[in-house]
Amino acid sequence: TFDFGSLNKKYDLIFIDGQFVDTLKFYLLSVPLLNPGRTIVIDDAVKYAWKMEWFFEYLEKNNIAHSLEKLDEDDGVLVILR
């Protein structure tokens, strides 16, 4: 397992492409690494939105700005602004 706490940098963009069951874990690990006002992108969020319903509920409940961006006929990404 990678130790995200060992990173001493801040990023403008973080791209998450992993198992959907771990989406919240990856998101929570990413937020402290992100510069204010920057973006997290989560892959395959349109095609597999049904696997991420609980994560969308988390974003809504916590008033986290986000949007689904369709990239082709049946898929796209979730864009989260922090």
Side-chain angles (χ1 to χ4, degrees), residues 4-21:
F4 284 88
S6 67
L7 296 174
N8 294 326
K9 295 182 179 182
K10 294 280 187 175
Y11 299 90
D12 292 334
L13 174 72
I14 296 176
F15 185 85
I16 298 173
D17 186 10
Q19 293 186 331
F20 293 109
V21 69

Side-chain angles (χ1 to χ4, degrees), residues 11-64:
Y11 299 90
D12 292 334
L13 174 72
I14 296 176
F15 185 85
I16 298 173
D17 186 10
Q19 293 186 331
F20 293 109
V21 69
D22 294 323
T23 301
L24 182 57
K25 177 177 87 172
F26 294 144
Y27 170 78
L28 294 174
L29 288 169
S30 298
V31 170
L33 302 173
L34 201 62
N35 282 316
R38 300 304 185 220
T39 306
I40 295 173
V41 177
I42 300 176
D43 198 23
D44 296 324
V46 172
K47 182 184 281 186
Y48 299 108
W50 59 275
K51 289 186 176 184
M52 297 177 59
E53 288 177 0
W54 56 272
F55 186 67
F56 290 114
E57 290 172 9
Y58 171 85
L59 296 174
E60 291 292 330
K61 180 180 175 185
N62 290 283
N63 296 315
I64 299 169

